[in-house]
Amino acid sequence: MAGSSESRTRQRCISVLALAPGLGSLVAAGAHYGDPHGGDARVGLAALCFGAVYLVACVVAAQTQKSALLKIAALGWSTSIAMCAGYFVLTWDPPKPNFRLQADGYEGMDWVEDYYKEFLESNQTHWQPYVYWRRPPYAGKQIHVDDEGLRRTWIDTKAPDDAPRIFMLGGSTMWGTGARDDETIPSFLARSLSKEGVPVRVHNYGETGYVSTQCLIRLLLELRRGNVPDVVVTYDGANDMYSGFQTKRAGIPQNEIRRRQDYLRGNGPRPPPTPKLGPDELVEQVAALYRANLRVVASLGKEYGFELCAFWQPSLFFKKPLTEYERGRIKKRSSEMAE
């Protein structure tokens, strides 16, 4: 009896070992096809086919010649390990230095590499209602983000508590990508006004990737909780245009397709596709929606008593002459927009 029990236990172990590679492949295929960001369909198909064929082979072997099951298990594990290793080699993308390290403006500066390490660490955005994403708190040597997701701005220590308050809204350029806390656009403005004897308190509400509508919503959220400025400065345009060329639609946040896929995963059939716009119509609609957002902000200013200063962000596409680094960025950006 003891020998029979040990034999059954051994056979169960062999069966589990034999089935594991096939079941693992099916799970991998399911995870691949369930990924809202998609991927190479050939990977999921290969895992699905291997898992299905392998499990059929296990069942046939178990019913005809159980001694063959151990050989099939060894073959399955070897194949699975080889497939995983091959997938890792083909898809491994080693971390690359930030492309901005080659920018012309950084020549001779020794703080840049440490800065971009902090930038990478601080750029782990999290979900935020209405505006989609925002940075969590972060404290480095050159980058500081507070509990409300605001980048640290240079402070005029002589400014009284009731000094005029300026809210500055925009994307990564306003946030200060590539610049230390005291060298962002809001910090330069605060320092310049202080030198001219105009004490103010400047708050940086910029965030990487934000389009003008996200900036408008962020302002609405602040006004809703009673946080009212004296002046609002907007610095938008580049992200609105890039998002338009990315989606072929106007007025959409960047990478909207990812959030749409997240929503559709558990919410029934897909809606009909939205018609895509041609370049001329797209540009006109982007500009029209941008102007509409400004009208909303101006109306809010009349209601809440703040002034609006709006600036359309300049672009390298219109700068002459270009440096070698800038020409490379223009070429890459143009290819991304053409996709």
Side-chain angles (χ1 to χ4, degrees), residues 53-69:
V53 172
Y54 177 79
L55 288 176
V56 170
C58 287
V59 172
V60 171
Q63 292 180 348
T64 57
Q65 188 179 358
K66 293 184 178 181
S67 61
L69 197 59

Side-chain angles (χ1 to χ4, degrees), residues 101-304:
L101 290 172
Q102 307 301 320
D104 311 280
Y106 290 137
E107 186 175 356
M109 297 184 181
D110 58 1
W111 53 266
V112 180
E113 288 193 22
D114 290 335
Y115 169 86
Y116 277 106
K117 291 177 182 178
E118 291 189 13
F119 176 79
L120 183 62
E121 293 174 355
S122 68
N123 198 28
Q124 307 301 314
T125 55
H126 59 195
W127 174 258
Q128 185 72 15
Y130 297 109
V131 293
Y132 282 166
W133 67 85
R134 196 178 72 186
R135 277 178 169 80
Y138 180 83
K141 292 182 179 180
Q142 306 177 72
I143 296 175
H144 294 80
V145 180
D146 67 17
D147 292 339
E148 295 184 6
L150 302 187
R151 180 85 184 269
R152 176 183 290 180
T153 300
W154 184 87
I155 298 175
D156 184 355
T157 55
K158 297 179 182 179
D161 293 339
D162 61 349
R165 301 168 69 235
I166 302 175
F167 286 7
M168 304 194 72
L169 304 166
S172 59
T173 305
M174 180 64 81
W175 181 86
T177 296
R180 294 174 286 186
D181 289 336
D182 287 348
E183 296 171 349
T184 63
I185 293 175
S187 288
F188 269 116
L189 177 63
R191 197 160 45 245
S192 297
L193 290 175
S194 177
K195 289 180 179 179
E196 294 179 10
V198 182
V200 295
R201 295 192 177 275
V202 180
H203 303 270
N204 186 352
Y205 284 92
E207 184 57 87
T208 297
Y210 272 17
V211 295
S212 60
T213 302
Q214 285 169 294
C215 295
L216 167 60
I217 294 173
R218 184 64 196 272
L219 175 62
L220 283 171
L221 295 175
E222 295 303 316
L223 297 176
R224 186 179 69 175
R225 68 189 186 99
N227 188 19
V228 181
D230 297 284
V231 178
V232 170
V233 178
T234 66
Y235 191 63
D236 294 301
N239 289 337
D240 293 69
M241 290 299 299
Y242 182 72
S243 174
F245 279 98
Q246 184 186 54
T247 62
K248 302 301 184 288
R249 296 171 59 194
I252 302 298
Q254 292 192 51
N255 303 314
E256 178 70 11
I257 185 63
R258 296 181 181 177
R259 286 168 285 280
R260 187 168 183 264
Q261 288 171 336
D262 286 339
Y263 177 80
L264 292 174
R265 289 180 66 181
N267 290 277
R270 291 178 176 271
T274 305
K276 296 182 178 180
L277 303 177
D280 293 339
E281 187 178 4
L282 179 62
V283 169
E284 291 178 2
Q285 286 202 18
V286 168
L289 291 175
Y290 171 76
R291 289 194 295 269
N293 283 339
L294 291 185
R295 286 196 294 272
V296 173
V297 177
S299 298
L300 289 171
K302 293 179 181 179
E303 174 66 24
Y304 284 90

